[in-house]
Amino acid sequence: MTSVAFPTLGTGLLLKYPKAVVAACMLEETLTFSTANPGSSVKDVQFVVYSKDLECEREFSTKLQMLKGCSVPRTRRRRSGITGVSLTTVTASLVEAKVGNLSVRIQQGDITKENVDIIVNTSDNKFNFGGLGDYIVQQGGQSIKDECMKSTNVKGGNVIVTDAGTLSFKKIFHLILPQLSDFQQAVQHCLETAEKCSFTSIAFPAIGTGNANVSASASAKALMDGILDFSRNAKPTHMCVVYVTVYDQRHVSTYMDELRSRGSYGLPTTGTPASGLSIVTDSGGVLELKCQNVSIFVKEGDITKSATDLMVNTVNVDFDFGGPGAYLVKVGGNSIADELKKNKSGNVGDVFVTGAGKLKFKKIYHLVITPVDQIHAAVEKCLAMAEKFKCKSIAFPAIGTGNAGLNETECAKQLADGILHFIQKSSPKHLKSVRIDVFEKRLVPTFQDELRRKTGIAAPLLRVPTFGGTLGRRHSVMNRSLSAASQRVVLDVFGAKPDVLRVSRAVSESIKRQSKKEIINEKSIKKLSQPDQEAIKAFEIRMGLSIDIDTKHGTITVEGFEKDVMKAVVDIMKVVHKTLEEATEMDKGKEMQRTVQWYWTYQDKTREAFSTVLNYTTEKAYQAKSSTVTYEEEGEHFSLDFKTLLETNLTTGEETRVSRKSKDLSLPSYWMPQPLEKGTPKPVHVVKLVPSGQQFNKVANRFHESFDQASETRKTIVAIHQIQNPDLYRQYKTYMDKLRRESKKYGPNERQLFHGTSEAVCELINHKGFNRSYSGSNVGAIWGNGAYFARDSMYSAQPGYSKSDGKGEQRMYLAKVLLGEYTQGAKGLITPPAKDPSNPLDTYDSVVDDTSNPGIFVIFHDAPAYPEYLITFK
């Protein structure tokens, strides 16, 4: 036996196994068998996917690309020991894509925990923040909303900028929600505002899906359109990272799918016309289009016979030609291969030029095949070279569909995107004709349909792959079953009129007596996943019932014969309670992850976090002082020994080392572990930040800000160090809690401010904080005898404050400072003045140089300031 075909096992209505897991298991086990049995007679393994199951098709296609070594995210654990396979590991709730200079990331999480310059909140024009806004205020303080409500700029689509209170962001953008049709422009406006202010990163929520009741799909489309239009039109120089942080787990996949659907340039894959593209001829198997002054032809054919200046051939990094390449050498001569192999080897995406041997082309371009998502760039590279050398015509094969075995539909899209993007971007003067010669007849419609869609005209015929009669019958049976559940049964009664009426009444009364309507009302119904809803709807088909699921109001209505209804209600409640239990476990798991995280640790020193639920299960067993814990992951069983910290695959015996990291919630999550000194943590740990890292850039941008605003030459940053002093930081947080309790109106009023100093006192500040007894001496303590801080780095950078050392280097702290409620300072103050002379104990918390536009801030206690970063500059 040389071939075998599998259905997608367990993904139907009966078992409902997760399709991503099934795809991973089936493909990886096939590869494992192939590796372990190189002499096997089985040469062809096919996976047959039901033609309308787009989710299953996508999962199998994604996993297949991963096993070919392409950079496609994998949903769970890494595996080792499979020769020649390179897998990329990402978390299950993250999709990231590059759009121009922007990195766009979709993830599930809490937006107030993001490490970005800006977060976006949404509000109506009466400042009803809704759930997200109220949560941001809860986390950051009432001052956020108070500042926002001072604004009169409440037209839909406008952005109100406020400080972030006690949160770590530079600012918060409050977007006044417009009509849905204007969401896209509103998103662009947020990004343009951030770019003008030189911010580098921003996080959006799932805008509109809260009180505005906008669907997740409409919100996702508007967000992506706005982000992508901003990237294309604004060409940002500061903004580089855009997060979309979705709190509701149920909606995450909608936003991820929207980003995935945009293709290489963030353009919709179907239905969006390409500018200036039109069909000239579409008959006789030949599709001819015109884009600007360039003709594009797609047809079946032998590329070696194209009447063009250039042809493109594909090779791998070792210049192995494969089937089409071998044919090229056969008809064109060995000189083609010999000339190419003088280069020894190539990198993915490289283009090598050779003569054409016996063929009539001027040159042949040999493209080193890329992963499927990079084909468009490689195509553009070939076209740019052709234009540079003043060639008039070029022929492409169906790139990626031969030995590379890439997804054929995606290859067609990528090839079309590359050609059209080059023409529209470059407006070539010399290149007049681009041909796509598809060797396999069955692939011609795929490539032609993709270009037809680019014109905005639907493909003339919907082509559904045929997988055999049995699958087709299954589909029709399913349709009959579905319709049977909703169709009315008609009973015809014939006879004398009195008898007919009597029988009709008897039948109606019998049906009425035996029928029942039951409404299940549970809050957890609102959290039912799509697979759970499909499992419940399957009862409708099997039992001939009518079942309506209302996740918005948390109800399920079941109608039908009483015995069937009661049985279905019992089965439905099992699903509902399972959802509730899973949600409860997930909530407990998330709470557990705040304090402890378990990891798999690999030989290359990388590590991967346990999932939320597995982390919870493992930590519970660890705290119960169990010696081992067993669990199931991706259909395999594992045992973890807490003494050796080794996880064992109970089937294969493979061992993986694990580690446990506990988190001190009183300290910042981004701090490095405090080094040990004689078995105890060092009191102070000074960490040098990596230049151009996210933290480094954030501090550097804040440092350069005032110089840029004043059009002054920037200082050169020599180094930035993060100061980790747990005792000092806890003292600071305790004072923050005190201000939060005592000042309901102003709260802690935390700011990031600068403090110039000399090298001689840095060690003392790192250990003891800012000593108010001698601070302010450089300015004569004209606003009071306390510790002085400046809003602008340019002020603190003056030589009188940041004293130069022997190398000409100066030092300045970027500190966290709690200002609370401040007032005007004055010379001689040793404490802040009283708010009311008759109550001297009720004092202000700090003083400033100018209450209307403060630039200098003075505190009179050590606790309200923490030396977070030390900047060395010259």
Side-chain angles (χ1 to χ4, degrees), residues 114-348:
E114 296 295 5
N115 187 16
V116 293
D117 291 346
I118 302 296
I119 62 168
V120 177
N121 174 41
T122 57
S123 171
D124 64 14
N125 58 9
K126 296 180 180 177
F127 298 116
N128 294 313
F129 275 12
L132 172 63
D134 290 345
Y135 177 68
I136 290 173
V137 171
Q138 179 186 339
Q139 296 296 307
Q142 183 62 32
S143 63
I144 297 172
K145 190 165 187 177
D146 292 343
E147 185 180 354
C148 187
M149 292 181 71
K150 292 176 184 178
S151 175
T152 57
N153 189 22
V154 293
K155 182 181 176 183
N158 284 349
V159 174
I160 300 170
V161 183
T162 70
D163 285 332
T166 60
L167 296 172
S168 61
F169 312 110
K170 291 183 178 178
K171 297 290 180 183
I172 296 178
F173 285 3
H174 303 272
L175 172 62
I176 306 301
L177 277 180
Q179 297 294 320
L180 176 59
S181 59
D182 296 325
F183 268 27
Q184 175 183 341
Q185 289 80 4
V187 171
Q188 277 186 263
H189 183 41
C190 286
L191 291 164
E192 288 164 356
T193 304
E195 173 69 13
K196 286 177 184 176
C197 297
S198 301
F199 294 127
T200 61
S201 54
I202 188 170
F204 287 92
I207 58 170
T209 57
N211 288 1
N213 291 320
V214 173
S215 69
S217 58
S219 167
K221 184 178 183 306
L223 263 166
M224 291 307 109
D225 286 345
I227 293 168
L228 299 167
D229 279 358
F230 168 75
S231 174
R232 283 193 293 265
N233 300 331
K235 295 182 173 51
T237 57
H238 301 287
M239 180 59 59
C240 54
V241 181
V242 179
Y243 289 75
V244 178
T245 303
V246 184
Y247 182 77
D248 192 332
Q249 181 71 50
R250 295 172 299 173
H251 295 158
V252 178
S253 61
T254 302
Y255 289 81
M256 290 180 173
D257 289 346
E258 183 65 34
L259 179 58
R260 288 191 190 104
S261 74
R262 297 312 182 97
S264 310
Y265 305 101
L267 297 172
T269 55
T270 60
T272 300
S275 175
L277 181 67
S278 60
I279 294 176
V280 178
T281 304
D282 191 357
S283 62
V286 177
L287 175 65
E288 180 186 354
L289 307 98
K290 196 84 170 178
C291 186
Q292 296 185 16
N293 292 321
V294 181
S295 296
I296 304 170
F297 299 87
V298 188
K299 65 178 184 63
E300 179 190 0
D302 178 350
I303 192 172
T304 64
K305 296 177 181 176
S306 286
T308 55
D309 292 344
L310 305 168
M311 71 157 278
V312 177
N313 173 47
T314 57
V315 295
N316 65 16
V317 293
D318 297 318
F319 299 143
D320 294 329
F321 276 54
Y327 174 72
L328 171 66
V329 172
K330 180 180 178 181
V331 297
N334 290 330
S335 63
I336 298 173
D338 293 340
E339 184 179 353
L340 177 62
K341 290 183 178 180
K342 290 178 182 178
N343 297 288
K344 295 185 179 178
S345 66
N347 297 315
V348 168

Side-chain angles (χ1 to χ4, degrees), residues 5 71 79 212 240 349 392 461 506-507 525 579 694 768 778 805 857:
S71 297
R79 306 239 180 164
C240 54
K392 295 181 179 179
L461 178 66
V507 170
I525 292 172
T579 300
Q694 190 170 15
K768 302 296 183 182
N778 292 326
D805 62 13
F857 303 82

Side-chain angles (χ1 to χ4, degrees), residues 343-360:
N343 297 288
K344 295 185 179 178
S345 66
N347 297 315
V348 168
D350 284 349
V351 179
F352 295 90
V353 183
T354 70
K358 302 173 186 176
L359 300 174
K360 295 180 180 180

Side-chain angles (χ1 to χ4, degrees), residues 43 263 311 443 654 676:
K43 302 299 181 187
M311 71 157 278
L443 293 178
E654 180 185 357
L676 297 179

Side-chain angles (χ1 to χ4, degrees), residues 844-858:
Y844 288 94
D845 302 299
S846 59
V847 299
V848 297
D849 61 334
D850 181 355
T851 54
S852 62
N853 183 27
I856 305 297
F857 303 82
V858 186

Side-chain angles (χ1 to χ4, degrees), residues 5 62 150 194 376 411 462 627 695 780:
T62 299
K150 292 176 184 178
H376 71 277
C411 287
L462 178 62
S627 58
Q695 253 185 303

Side-chain angles (χ1 to χ4, degrees), residues 491-653:
L491 176 64
D492 293 319
V493 181
F494 297 92
K497 186 174 182 180
D499 294 332
V500 168
L501 292 174
R502 178 173 53 79
V503 171
S504 296
R505 279 196 299 269
V507 170
S508 296
E509 288 170 3
S510 176
I511 292 172
K512 190 175 181 179
R513 282 195 305 271
Q514 296 181 63
S515 296
K516 187 174 181 64
K517 177 180 179 180
E518 191 75 22
I519 300 176
I520 305 169
N521 197 328
E522 290 275 352
K523 287 184 179 179
S524 53
I525 292 172
K526 296 179 180 181
K527 298 181 178 180
L528 284 175
S529 65
Q530 192 61 37
D532 287 337
Q533 292 181 49
E534 290 174 5
I536 290 172
K537 293 294 282 184
F539 299 141
E540 183 178 57
I541 299 168
R542 271 204 307 270
M543 305 173 73
L545 298 168
S546 170
I547 299 177
D548 179 63
I549 303 172
D550 184 350
T551 54
K552 183 177 180 180
H553 298 98
T555 62
I556 299 176
T557 304
V558 187
E559 293 184 84
F561 279 113
E562 183 173 12
K563 64 175 184 177
D564 296 327
V565 168
M566 298 316 294
K567 185 178 185 310
V569 167
V570 171
D571 291 338
I572 290 170
M573 287 306 296
K574 289 178 182 177
V575 176
V576 172
H577 285 151
K578 178 175 75 71
T579 300
L580 180 59
E581 289 168 6
E582 288 174 351
T584 303
E585 286 285 290
M586 182 62 75
D587 290 341
K588 290 179 179 177
K590 287 179 179 177
E591 186 62 28
M592 180 76 78
Q593 275 183 315
R594 296 180 67 236
T595 58
V596 67
Q597 179 65 60
W598 286 83
Y599 296 90
W600 290 285
T601 306
Y602 302 107
Q603 292 180 354
D604 60 1
K605 297 185 180 179
T606 60
R607 65 182 187 178
E608 180 184 1
F610 280 28
S611 66
T612 302
V613 174
L614 179 57
N615 187 72
Y616 175 65
T617 304
T618 305
E619 182 60 19
K620 276 205 309 181
Y622 179 80
Q623 292 182 3
K625 301 192 183 302
S626 302
S627 58
T628 62
V629 63
T630 58
Y631 45 84
E632 183 179 343
E633 276 283 286
E634 294 188 345
E636 294 185 281
H637 294 274
F638 298 86
S639 175
L640 172 56
D641 187 320
F642 289 121
K643 185 176 181 180
T644 62
L645 291 181
L646 283 175
E647 176 202 72
T648 304
N649 185 316
L650 297 179
T651 303
T652 65

Side-chain angles (χ1 to χ4, degrees), residues 368 430 471 551 588 621 741 749 758:
V368 180
H430 305 286
L471 204 57
T551 54
K588 290 179 179 177
R741 289 193 306 272
N749 195 6
S758 64

